[in-house]
Amino acid sequence: MPLNIDAFTQAGLKAEELATEVWLVEDFVSAEEIKEVFDYVATVKEEAWIEHYMEHLRDRAERDFGTRDIEKLNEEGKFPITFDWADKTLPLFNFKILETINNGITGIAAYDPNLYFEGSGTLQRQYEGSDLKVHIDNHVDPHVAYAAVIYLNDDYNYGEVIFPEQGLELKPKPGSMLFFSSADTHPHGVNPPGPGPLRYVIPCFIKQKELPEGFVHAPYEVHEKYHTHKKY
């Protein structure tokens, strides 16, 4: 059954429904938890960002196709690779913020016995000019039912998350969680940040054990219908 506001209340969270199946939870994580992440980021070398993304793709390709040759799979049209995202994700381990995220989202998912959450652990960054094209989350994995994005800062310029079908353009406060459907009703993307501070979030995906009856993928070309906007 689709989630509703009661799922958040049951988990002890106060949520605002911004549109159908789009909820915002402010103060989901604390300023102290965010600071711990940024203190770590300050110590990380640039190479670490690239290594994590490509290794993650190879792991997924091996699981789904039995090969780690993602370049060949990409050429065959079986495995999309967003090469300009190769330096934008980083693994997180043993941070207090992950415990808070995992407990909160697990509590929300418990509202529907068909949902489950495997945990979070990836930091995502965007710098000047790097947009996230409009897409639908369950294209990569049809079992993805919902997404949650935890916002760590808002001092970047532009970089709004957009939901074209819902008419939303948002820049959530630090510590907020945006929780939304991953179905083809909710294409979304991120406008490219402008000059200045980078944009940092922690993305999470909530999965379903059984697919809805009659489930079909929406066209992959959704990014050609909708567009992010450079505002500078």
Side-chain angles (χ1 to χ4, degrees):
M1 58 181 173
L3 294 181
N4 57 48
I5 202 74
D6 292 339
F8 297 85
T9 303
Q10 174 182 284
L13 299 169
K14 184 178 180 180
E16 176 186 2
E17 188 164 13
L18 306 179
T20 301
E21 291 196 280
V22 180
W23 299 273
L24 180 67
V25 179
E26 295 189 340
D27 301 316
F28 181 64
V29 297
S30 70
E32 292 75 17
E33 290 169 333
I34 292 173
K35 182 179 182 300
E36 183 186 18
V37 174
F38 281 132
D39 287 346
Y40 167 67
V41 168
T43 70
V44 175
K45 295 180 179 179
E46 279 297 307
E47 308 88 81
W49 291 87
I50 297 175
E51 291 170 3
H52 170 63
Y53 179 74
M54 300 308 287
E55 194 64 17
H56 168 71
L57 291 185
R58 291 188 179 93
D59 288 345
R60 201 173 76 213
E62 185 173 32
R63 180 196 68 194
D64 296 344
F65 298 96
T67 176
R68 299 181 68 81
D69 190 346
I70 56 177
E71 289 79 8
K72 182 178 180 181
L73 290 173
N74 181 252
E75 290 175 0
E76 295 172 347
K78 298 177 180 178
F79 193 86
I81 301 174
T82 310
F83 285 102
D84 63 348
W85 273 81
D87 61 349
K88 297 180 180 66
T89 62
L90 186 74
L92 297 175
F93 303 102
N94 302 319
F95 286 90
K96 179 65 169 64
I97 196 170
L98 299 182
E99 180 181 349
T100 299
I101 293 170
N102 293 344
N103 288 341
I105 294 179
T106 297
I108 297 167
Y111 186 79
D112 181 350
N114 191 43
L115 297 178
Y116 66 100
F117 180 54
E118 296 176 315
S120 59
T122 299
L123 177 67
Q124 186 181 91
R125 70 177 182 178
Q126 283 176 263
Y127 42 72
E128 179 182 351
S130 61
D131 68 340
L132 176 56
K133 296 187 184 304
V134 175
H135 62 284
I136 296 169
D137 287 327
N138 68 14
H139 275 166
V140 174
D141 183 348
H143 285 276
V144 173
Y146 292 92
V149 180
I150 293 79
Y151 290 80
L152 305 190
N153 67 321
D154 66 354
D155 56 348
Y156 49 90
N157 296 304
Y158 311 110
E160 304 89 352
V161 59
I162 61 172
F163 290 83
E165 289 290 337
Q166 286 70 33
L168 294 176
E169 182 174 289
L170 308 167
K171 192 175 184 182
K173 299 176 183 177
S176 298
M177 174 177 66
L178 193 63
F179 196 107
F180 52 91
S181 171
S182 291
D184 59 9
T185 51
H186 288 68
H188 57 281
V190 179
N191 290 330
L198 278 60
R199 178 185 189 269
Y200 289 93
V201 300
I202 297 176
C204 306
F205 298 99
I206 299 85
K207 297 184 178 183
Q208 50 195 340
K209 301 170 187 175
E210 302 291 336
L211 294 178
E213 185 175 350
F215 173 86
V216 293
H217 276 305
Y220 275 92
E221 294 75 18
V222 65
H223 65 276
E224 297 177 0
K225 179 179 179 181
Y226 304 104
H227 302 282
T228 57
H229 300 283
K230 187 175 182 179
K231 298 185 174 182
Y232 58 95

